[in-house]
Amino acid sequence: MLSWYKDMLLIRRFEEKAGQLYGMGLIAGFCHLYIGQEAVVVGVQGALEEGDQVVTGYRDHGHMLATGMDPNGVMAELTGREGGYSRGKGGSMHMFSRDKNFFGGHGIVGAQVPIGTGLALSNKYKENGKISVTYFGDGAANQGQVYESFNMAKIWDLPVVYVIENNQYAMGTSVKRSSSETHLYKRGVSFNIPGEEVDGMDVVAVNEAAAKAAEHARSGNGPYILEMKTYRYRGHSMSDPAKYRTREEVDDIRSHSDPIEGAKKKILEAGYADEDALKKMDKEIKEIVSDSADFARESPEPNPDELYTDVLIEG
Amino acid sequence: MPAMNMIQALNSAMDILLTQNPDVVMFGEDSGYFGGVFNATDKLQAKHGAHRVFDTPINEAAIAAMAIGMAAKGLKPVAEIQFSDYIFPAFDQIVSEMSRIRYRSAGQFTSGCVLRSPWGGGIRGGQTHSMSPEAFFTHIPGVKVAIPSNPYDAKGMLIAAAEGNDPVIFFEPKRIYNGPFDGVPDAPLKSWAKHPKGEVPEGHYRVELGKAEVTREGSACTVVTYGTLVHVAEHAAEKSGIDAEIIDLKSLSPYDIDTIAASVNKTGRAIVAHEAPRTSGFGAELAAQIQEDCFYALEAPVLRLTGWDTPYPHAHEWAYFPIQSRFIRAMEAVTKAV
């Protein structure tokens, strides 16, 4: 529990810092913050085994930190520097780590869903006992290729857990206005894929559901859908003033359902740690994040020759 | 005449289209209630109703395909693909259905519609928000491709596209939505208010598709380009003192070879420029046609100034993008070549 709390806090503080660097002009272009949704990736990651794969969309910083990727390398990719995970070639939405089995950040909405299904097929072919965790949002849930993937995943009983992060807004369009069936966990019904709704603001509930889904997929029963009911506090991207929802709505969720505050309360009640210990932890995390920002500022601009590398292996 | 930026000009065009033709409908991702990610459809839903300006789910294939069905049954869809980088799920429908329904029904049905889409680089959007995919579409007989470079043309061309009977892929250079770009990356944003093409009539007018425009007359060489790079080319000519003639192509399919040929026959030297990668880019088509039509007038090889043959980069954006200094070097090279 304490470790989940720490992981969630790292993501929160990292994203706050990324927002600051964006405001200072050190991060350019598009930047989608994960603040509010931390319990989802932390709870799911806690149910995975070494070697399981993770793939997601463009709101990807939290997923990367949860897989254990180095905050320095993630932040330096945001600033487009040599020390970034893609050496500045990808930016916020397009980062990868072979070491941590993180198959990207993908900027095209829904594109990662068939890719994650392909990862699962690879697992099955190689009989390696691993699963693919394929994240996507409520907006992506309406893309046609999601359903092409669901069908194939069930025909062949592929070891994949589809995690739908339903933060209730596809940029400015709410689920109610974009989806005929707003209970997205039911989207697998016509493919015979089981699904369930999960309180995505509660890291314990997320972890329990993910453990069950992972076990289902790993033991040869095929895909499983988890709909995480969650919420993003910030705009869709840094340029979104979020006019499509009220300040009260955001404040209400922040004050009643915040995943980090919820975990903190449980920790204190159960006596896993006291206030002082948690404060100390926060201070340590702030240092890690501050170091990552320094690294991302000081890491050199990538060499211009890098423009032409990695296009083809044999050019 | 009021000063408008490109967003305001496009919004004005769409407002007029909705007002004048009850069969016009607009839709796309976040286009209705939200008013579009770049505010191009701002307030149109409130004014014209949610049955005429509406949000779709994130479904590019269906957005394009529904437009075909709607057009075949008498509506005039003006749909939006949120970024031109997102258009590829719709590519099959555009290639296989939209472009051919007239041909294969021997003219009984048409798919006259407009797909608008923010296009091009220069905003640090990285791989999936910066592309210039026009050459994929100029290779499809049966769809038109248009790219305005200023507010006046944006409004007039969008009205002309929507009032025509053919499907039009309408790419909007998002870097210059709010002001022209002179191709110096860190220079502060300029306003359209001080640009002659930022003066936009409030009422209805058309800028016909298929016609290019000489935006700067000159004798040293011809630069054929479109979109954001029109402004970069103009500023490069001013900065370098090289007396280049600049042609804003505006329509890529069909394109105005007569205006290009007249210019190249005069100058004897030509640069074709675009942001998209070099190989099989639209510049290759232009260079080939210039060579066929102007061979005996040419005093130097036609030069292509383009993005490189790489995915659109994040950190290396200004190494990739044909910025002002690259234009000046190209102009020097083509005018010195013998």
Side-chain angles (χ1 to χ4, degrees):
Chain A
M1 186 74 192
L2 214 48
S3 134
W4 291 341
Y5 176 79
K6 191 173 179 182
D7 292 346
M8 290 194 290
L9 202 58
L10 173 65
I11 295 171
R12 173 81 46 107
R13 297 287 178 248
F14 182 92
E15 294 291 64
E16 288 167 352
K17 181 61 81 179
Q20 283 172 14
L21 295 189
Y22 194 93
M24 293 159 69
L26 288 161
I27 297 172
F30 293 79
C31 184
H32 310 85
L33 301 182
Y34 197 66
I35 295 175
Q37 301 180 211
E38 296 90 346
V40 177
V41 291
V42 170
V44 171
Q45 196 70 32
L48 302 187
E49 289 180 2
E50 185 80 25
D52 290 344
Q53 305 97 36
V54 172
V55 65
T56 188
Y58 49 81
R59 196 177 305 285
D60 55 356
H61 312 161
H63 303 71
M64 295 186 281
L65 296 175
T67 61
M69 286 168 67
D70 180 1
N72 287 8
V74 178
M75 197 68 96
E77 188 62 32
L78 296 181
T79 55
R81 302 301 173 93
E82 182 67 44
Y85 267 100
S86 295
R87 297 202 303 280
K89 292 177 165 192
S92 162
M93 295 178 279
H94 311 112
M95 260 180 269
F96 298 78
S97 169
R98 177 178 276 273
D99 182 40
K100 297 294 179 190
N101 279 294
F102 180 70
F103 285 77
H106 296 268
I108 298 294
V109 175
Q112 74 276 21
V113 180
I115 294 171
T117 309
L119 295 172
L121 198 147
S122 183
N123 290 331
K124 177 157 178 162
Y125 185 92
K126 301 210 165 174
E127 297 178 344
N128 62 11
K130 304 304 175 196
I131 66 168
S132 148
V133 178
T134 301
Y135 290 90
F136 54 102
D138 46 286
N142 293 318
Q143 280 281 28
Q145 56 190 329
V146 170
Y147 299 93
E148 298 177 23
S149 305
F150 281 3
N151 190 39
M152 287 192 277
K154 186 56 198 171
I155 292 172
W156 302 317
D157 275 335
L158 303 181
V160 52
V161 177
Y162 296 109
V163 180
I164 306 176
E165 296 193 66
N166 181 356
N167 68 18
Q168 306 175 45
Y169 293 91
M171 193 169 306
T173 301
S174 72
V175 172
K176 288 193 278 293
R177 288 190 291 113
S178 68
S179 296
S180 53
E181 170 56 80
T182 57
H183 294 293
L184 303 179
Y185 70 91
K186 295 182 184 171
R187 291 293 181 89
V189 168
S190 65
F191 303 96
N192 291 320
I193 302 176
E196 68 181 271
E197 182 181 281
V198 183
D199 178 0
M201 306 301 268
D202 177 353
V203 67
V204 177
V206 169
N207 183 258
E208 284 171 359
K212 187 173 128 194
E215 168 59 24
H216 177 96
R218 204 182 303 279
S219 46
N221 299 311
Y224 202 97
I225 295 170
L226 296 175
E227 179 191 1
M228 300 291 177
K229 297 297 285 285
T230 183
Y231 200 82
R232 66 169 155 75
Y233 296 172
R234 299 290 185 92
H236 162 78
S237 68
M238 298 307 292
S239 56
D240 169 22
K243 290 180 295 186
Y244 43 82
R245 60 186 188 189
T246 61
R247 189 70 240 168
E248 290 72 36
E249 179 183 305
V250 182
D251 289 345
D252 184 55
I253 290 177
R254 281 192 96 123
S255 51
H256 294 107
S257 315
D258 185 79
I260 295 174
E261 286 303 316
K264 184 177 179 183
K265 197 159 162 248
K266 282 182 188 156
I267 287 167
L268 294 175
E269 277 169 10
Y272 297 138
D274 59 21
E275 286 272 8
D276 285 346
L278 295 184
K279 270 185 193 152
K280 189 161 162 273
M281 185 187 282
D282 195 12
K283 194 159 168 282
E284 284 164 14
I285 286 169
K286 278 179 175 157
E287 273 168 28
I288 292 170
V289 168
S290 175
D291 288 349
S292 78
D294 291 344
F295 178 80
R297 264 186 277 215
E298 286 157 17
S299 178
E301 300 274 352
N303 189 314
D305 294 345
E306 283 268 345
L307 175 62
Y308 255 111
T309 59
D310 300 316
V311 179
L312 290 170
I313 296 173
E314 288 137 9
Chain B
M1 268 190 289
M4 295 189 195
N5 63 31
M6 273 182 91
I7 291 293
Q8 292 162 329
L10 291 161
N11 188 273
S12 169
M14 288 188 271
D15 188 22
I16 289 167
L17 290 164
L18 287 159
T19 303
Q20 294 192 348
N21 181 353
D23 289 332
V24 169
V25 283
M26 291 174 186
F27 51 97
E29 296 156 7
D30 283 310
S31 302
Y33 176 77
F34 192 67
V37 289
F38 292 100
N39 295 326
T41 48
D42 189 35
K43 298 189 173 65
L44 296 179
Q45 185 182 73
K47 181 168 176 188
H48 298 281
H51 63 302
R52 298 190 66 199
V53 182
F54 51 90
D55 293 312
T56 66
I58 303 176
N59 294 132
E60 294 83 9
I63 289 169
M66 296 260 296
I68 301 166
M70 292 159 74
K73 194 71 183 87
L75 295 182
K76 173 57 73 174
V78 180
E80 180 180 272
I81 302 291
Q82 196 171 72
F83 284 83
S84 68
D85 313 60
Y86 302 176
I87 205 167
F88 299 105
F91 196 57
D92 176 49
Q93 286 288 340
I94 296 167
V95 173
S96 308
E97 311 294 334
M98 186 182 285
S99 69
R100 299 180 193 163
I101 203 164
R102 181 195 289 271
Y103 191 78
R104 68 175 173 233
S105 70
Q108 295 178 79
F109 294 108
T110 66
S111 53
C113 62
V114 181
L115 287 187
R116 293 179 40 245
S117 194
W119 164 96
I123 65 160
R124 299 303 301 268
Q127 305 198 346
T128 48
H129 297 74
S130 308
M131 278 183 75
S132 302
E134 64 276 11
F136 293 109
F137 299 92
T138 57
H139 201 58
I140 309 169
V143 295
K144 294 183 174 181
V145 177
I147 307 178
S149 74
N150 58 68
Y152 179 86
D153 286 348
K155 178 173 174 178
M157 286 168 65
L158 183 58
I159 290 174
E163 290 180 349
N165 293 306
D166 294 309
V168 180
I169 310 296
F170 194 90
F171 287 131
E172 302 166 1
K174 56 187 175 292
R175 167 70 213 207
I176 55 173
Y177 268 154
N178 294 310
F181 177 55
D182 60 14
V184 177
D186 297 325
L189 185 69
K190 289 183 178 165
S191 161
W192 279 115
K194 290 180 182 139
H195 193 283
K197 294 288 182 80
E199 286 183 28
V200 179
E202 286 192 67
H204 175 280
Y205 67 96
R206 290 161 63 132
V207 174
E208 296 303 334
L209 304 186
K211 288 293 292 175
E213 181 179 342
V214 176
T215 63
R216 182 188 191 282
E217 291 193 1
S219 57
C221 64
T222 300
V223 179
V224 187
T225 189
Y226 45 89
T228 306
L229 296 187
V230 172
H231 305 278
V232 180
E234 287 172 357
H235 281 88
E238 299 308 324
K239 180 83 183 291
S240 65
I242 295 171
D243 187 25
E245 181 146 298
I246 314 290
I247 295 178
D248 179 359
L249 203 53
K250 298 201 242 187
S251 281
L252 280 68
S253 181
Y255 69 95
D256 181 2
I257 187 62
D258 294 345
T259 297
I260 298 170
S263 176
V264 177
N265 281 328
K266 181 177 79 175
T267 64
R269 298 165 194 272
I271 297 168
V272 294
H274 52 67
E275 298 173 32
R278 177 182 176 88
T279 303
S280 302
F282 194 65
E285 165 62 30
L286 292 171
Q289 197 62 47
I290 289 169
Q291 181 273 138
E292 280 187 34
D293 287 12
C294 310
F295 183 76
Y296 296 104
L298 285 172
E299 295 179 48
V302 179
L303 198 153
R304 281 181 287 170
L305 174 57
T306 66
W308 307 114
D309 285 345
T310 69
Y312 200 101
H314 174 62
H316 293 97
E317 172 150 49
W318 301 119
Y320 173 94
F321 193 96
I323 56 176
Q324 192 185 96
S325 56
R326 282 179 64 198
F327 265 90
I328 292 173
R329 283 203 300 276
M331 288 172 178
E332 286 168 353
V334 83
T335 51
K336 280 177 192 154
V338 285

